[in-house]
Amino acid sequence: MTVEASIDPLSYAASLLDAVGADREHIPAHIALECLQAAELLELAGGHAQPIPLVEDDPRASIRAAMGALGLLDQDTFATGYVLDAARAARRALRRLG
């Protein structure tokens, strides 16, 4: 069973960021750690990461999709410290990927 962004954006984003963090073939350790930190923060906000594949087998596309899922959140949820910190970590990881 996979998580769908429209049903549970927190869990979908956490799952994607966790998948990027686990991609040791393509992702340097410092970027993987940022993604894993973001996934953990989203779990602290109420999400539940599940094993899912990368979007189009592409770490960048997966981070973008995770950030898009966060955009589906209501304003109150998005404004929590955990979610904002996770979004910042995901943004840093995406920037570092180039």
Side-chain angles (χ1 to χ4, degrees), residues 64-89:
R64 285 188 197 101
M67 293 175 78
L70 295 179
L72 298 173
L73 296 171
D74 63 80
Q75 183 62 30
D76 290 336
T77 303
F78 185 81
T80 64
Y82 290 134
V83 176
L84 286 174
D85 289 344
R88 287 182 185 115

